[in-house]
Amino acid sequence: MAGFLVDSNVLLDVLTEDPAWFEWSSSALARCAEVGPLAINPLVYAEVSIGFERIEELDEILDTAGFLRLALPWEAAFLAGKCFLRYRRRGGARTSTLPDFYIGAHALVEGRTLLTRDAARYRTYFPRLSLVAPA
């Protein structure tokens, strides 16, 4: 198994001990870690880094938890652009972030399961993507 790409919302839930999502996100992370490796990419890293003053603090947490750090494949960039274009043509807001499409494309291109709590967009634009998400 290729493992899991972890979306920033799940990491942020755990790191901030979000009152609404901490329990689900921490349990889902633990279950996924028992099955295969957990990974992030530079987009997830950037989104999570906002909550840290120093890069060393974030790196220590990610290294201690054993997250793999993946490069972004060119194929995922192309797919993300095409899915974002479909989204825009369907009337999607310009304010929607392209990184979400890139994260979904990255997981799909590498055959990883995406661990997220924001599944609606991924299910719409990446119907073949395997997800771990709240019911």
Side-chain angles (χ1 to χ4, degrees), residues 97-109:
T97 57
L98 183 57
D100 289 342
F101 288 93
Y102 210 150
I103 291 166
H106 185 185
L108 185 62
V109 163

Side-chain angles (χ1 to χ4, degrees), residues 112-116 118-120 122-123 126 129-133:
R112 295 180 185 275
T113 297
L114 181 61
L115 172 56
T116 184
D118 186 21
Y122 295 117
R123 285 191 177 118
F126 302 97
L129 177 60
S130 177
L131 297 174
V132 172

Side-chain angles (χ1 to χ4, degrees), residues 8 15 17-18 25 37 41 48-50 58 69 72 75 80 97 109 117 134:
S8 56
L15 294 171
E17 296 184 12
D18 182 272
S25 292
N41 65 25
V48 171
S49 74
I50 293 169
L58 176 56
R69 297 180 192 200
L72 293 166
E75 296 86 356
T97 57
V109 163
R117 65 169 166 78

Side-chain angles (χ1 to χ4, degrees), residues 47-83:
E47 291 177 336
V48 171
S49 74
I50 293 169
F52 292 84
E53 291 294 319
R54 298 177 45 244
I55 190 172
E56 294 84 2
E57 295 171 31
L58 176 56
D59 287 346
E60 182 179 341
I61 287 171
L62 295 173
D63 292 345
T64 300
F67 283 93
L68 300 174
R69 297 180 192 200
L70 306 175
L72 293 166
W74 291 102
E75 296 86 356
F78 186 84
L79 178 58
K82 295 303 176 195
C83 289

